[in-house]
Amino acid sequence: MLDFAKENKIKVYALVTNISFEKEPAHQFLHDSKAQEKAIAALIKLCEDNQHDGLQIDFENINIKDKAQLTAFYEAVAAALHQKNLVVSFAVV
């Protein structure tokens, strides 16, 4: 599938979600800078290893109190991916 996409100049993006869209694990992740750094490094590696053009983040059911942390995480992901010439998008419900 990836070969077909590449041969036909079709962009491929990984989809990244919060597990089962559960609030508490997402809350813990958004308040853990070390976990976020590790996740960002893993996402870059995923894109590079699989020749993805970038990724889409689809975090759902986030507590409104975590909106600043979600935005900060997205900004960090975007900055890191852009340094590698990768695309990032964010699904908004």
Side-chain angles (χ1 to χ4, degrees):
M1 192 85 142
L2 290 174
D3 290 338
F4 176 83
K6 189 172 185 169
E7 289 169 9
N8 291 282
K9 299 181 181 176
I10 299 170
K11 302 284 184 185
V12 176
Y13 302 95
L15 177 63
V16 180
T17 67
N18 54 319
I19 297 173
S20 301
F21 303 125
E22 293 181 32
K23 281 186 183 183
E24 187 54 32
H27 171 78
Q28 291 174 5
F29 175 75
L30 292 171
H31 289 269
D32 186 340
S33 60
K34 296 289 184 197
Q36 291 176 42
E37 290 173 14
K38 187 176 178 181
I40 291 169
L43 292 172
I44 290 170
K45 184 172 178 7
L46 171 85
C47 290
E48 292 176 341
D49 289 354
N50 294 286
Q51 300 176 345
H52 293 339
D53 297 289
L55 54 88
Q56 180 175 37
I57 298 174
D58 182 12
F59 280 17
E60 296 185 24
N61 202 26
I62 303 299
N63 191 312
I64 191 70
K65 294 177 184 177
D66 292 331
K67 68 181 181 177
Q69 290 78 17
L70 179 62
T71 299
F73 174 64
Y74 177 74
E75 290 172 340
V77 170
L81 267 71
H82 291 161
Q83 286 180 348
K84 300 288 187 174
N85 294 316
L86 297 167
V87 175
V88 62
S89 65
F90 199 84
V92 178
V93 180

